[in-house]
């Protein structure tokens, strides 16, 4: 939703009817109604290029590194030996860029429902993919993620659901059908992570995901990071595995694995990794009340 004002257009994000955020649109770079979503990319003085889908901000150049580093390095370094990675969504390319930094990963599949997002982000958000779309390990599949995970005969070590919120095409990626499909194509010792919203404002989404994932995985929890663009506090990332030890790795192990990876980061470090599994009491209370 946007309205013209005297100096600059103001772009409002109103995820919640009485609470939101705004961006000045310094220059609209691209707007397209793709087959699935209304896509806009614009320049903002504070956050750089901003991409929104169906009126909801997906990513900004200024703070995307926090989200993409936490959704890749935490599961991949916790796993310690991931060779095959599946990204669901991720059309802006930021998640792929960070997965590609892990040289031990041999194959990366990305299942994105909207070819337009890949095409337009490749052109207008080049810093997100940073050339990773040309990585020889990468394979792009244009499909609904829920279809893919329920039909593929491939098996993965880590699955990363980098999806929109559960509205529009993203809705199917918060269903039991999707989670069952992920459990189906994940190695028994595999790790599943998913963006699960800002828990202070979208607590029900976290509780619902936890309840559904618990039917398919033995150890389900969350980890968290604060990303300024996803306003309202910490964003929770769903965490689902069959091995609770993955969440309890000691600092020395994480330090050694991070050093061996040779990755340089701007947000992630082993202490942040360990601390990210500490959750606010209100969320813990809501999860235990759910049973
Ligand atoms: N960082 C963002 C967030 O936290 O909301 C997510 C960014 S990424 C651009 C979200 C991607 O999910 C989009 O490219 C969108 O097209 C894709 N997507 C939405 N629903 C999907 C589905 N059912 N299957 C595959 N991709 C989907």
């Amino acid at each position: 939703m946007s309205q013209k004002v005297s100096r600059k257009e103001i772009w409002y994000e109103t995820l919640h009817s009485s609470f939101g955020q705004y961006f000045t649109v310094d220059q609209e770079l691209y707007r397209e109604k793709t087959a699935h979503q209304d896509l806009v990319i614009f320049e903002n003085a504070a956050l750089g290029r901003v991409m929104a889908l169906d009126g909801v901000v997906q990513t900004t150049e200024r703070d995307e590194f926090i989200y993409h580093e936490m959704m890749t390095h935490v599961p991949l370094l916790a796993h310690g030996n991931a060779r095959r990675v599946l990204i669901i969504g991720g059309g802006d390319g930021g998640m792929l860029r960070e997965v590609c930094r892990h040289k031990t990963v041999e194959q990366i599949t990305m299942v994105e429902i909207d070819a337009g997002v890949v095409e337009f982000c490749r052109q207008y958000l080049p810093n997100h993919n940073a050339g990773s779309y040309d990585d020889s390990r990468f394979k792009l599949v244009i499909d609904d993620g829920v279809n893919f995970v329920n039909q593929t005969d491939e098996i993965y070590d880590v699955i990363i659901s980098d999806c929109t919120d559960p509205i529009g095409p993203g809705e199917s990626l918060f269903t039991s059908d999707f989670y069952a499909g992920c459990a189906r194509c994940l190695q028994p010792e595999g790790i599943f992570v998913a963006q699960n919203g800002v828990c202070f404002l979208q607590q029900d989404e976290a509780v619902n995901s936890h309840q559904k994932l618990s039917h398919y995985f033995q150890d389900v929890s969350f980890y968290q990071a604060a990303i300024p663009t996803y306003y309202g506090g910490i964003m929770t990332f769903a965490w689902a595995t069959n091995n609770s030890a993955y969440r309890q790795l000691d600092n020395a192990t994480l330090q050694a694995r991070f050093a061996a990876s040779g990755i340089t980061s701007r947000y992630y470090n082993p202490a942040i990794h360990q601390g990210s599994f500490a959750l606010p009491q209100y969320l813990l209370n809501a999860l235990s009340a759910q049973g």
Side-chain angles (χ1 to χ4, degrees), residues 37 58 67 91-92 112-113 117 144-145 162-164 169-170 172 230:
Q37 299 162 111
Q58 298 297 308
Y67 173 83
D92 55 72
E112 165 57 59
I113 197 168
V117 176
D144 186 325
D162 175 20
C163 58
T164 48
S172 66
Y230 307 134

Side-chain angles (χ1 to χ4, degrees), residues 137-288:
R137 297 170 288 174
F138 172 62
K139 176 173 75 171
L140 176 63
V141 174
I142 300 300
D143 192 3
D144 186 325
V146 67
N147 296 340
F148 181 86
V149 294
N150 282 293
Q151 292 166 15
T152 182
D153 54 10
E154 308 206 24
I155 297 287
Y156 298 93
D157 299 302
V158 169
I159 298 177
I160 300 169
S161 180
D162 175 20
C163 58
T164 48
D165 285 315
I167 45 178
E171 198 167 358
S172 66
L173 303 183
F174 292 82
T175 61
S176 293
D177 194 15
F178 175 65
Y179 297 141
C182 288
R184 171 187 167 273
C185 65
L186 192 63
Q187 292 283 5
E189 287 298 295
I191 298 176
F192 169 83
V193 296
Q195 86 83 357
N196 220 128
V198 169
C199 59
F200 187 72
L201 299 172
Q202 298 162 284
Q203 184 172 290
D204 289 350
E205 289 176 28
V207 173
N208 291 338
S209 297
H210 188 273
Q211 188 169 32
K212 292 171 185 168
L213 283 164
S214 298
H215 290 297
Y216 306 104
F217 296 93
Q218 293 166 33
D219 184 58
V220 178
S221 187
F222 296 90
Y223 63 111
Q224 48 86 8
I227 300 113
T229 300
Y230 307 134
Y231 69 91
I234 56 168
M235 170 173 264
T236 39
F237 307 109
W239 175 272
T241 79
N242 294 318
N243 179 354
S244 61
Y246 277 141
R247 279 196 287 139
Q248 294 142 17
L249 291 171
D250 59 51
N251 190 272
T253 301
L254 291 171
Q255 288 280 6
R257 289 181 183 178
F258 186 43
S261 74
I263 291 169
T264 53
S265 56
R266 297 169 60 199
Y267 182 83
Y268 178 92
N269 61 50
I272 283 271
H273 177 139
Q274 282 185 298
S276 69
F277 285 96
L279 300 174
Q281 196 56 43
Y282 66 82
L283 178 59
L284 296 175
N285 292 345
L287 295 175
S288 57

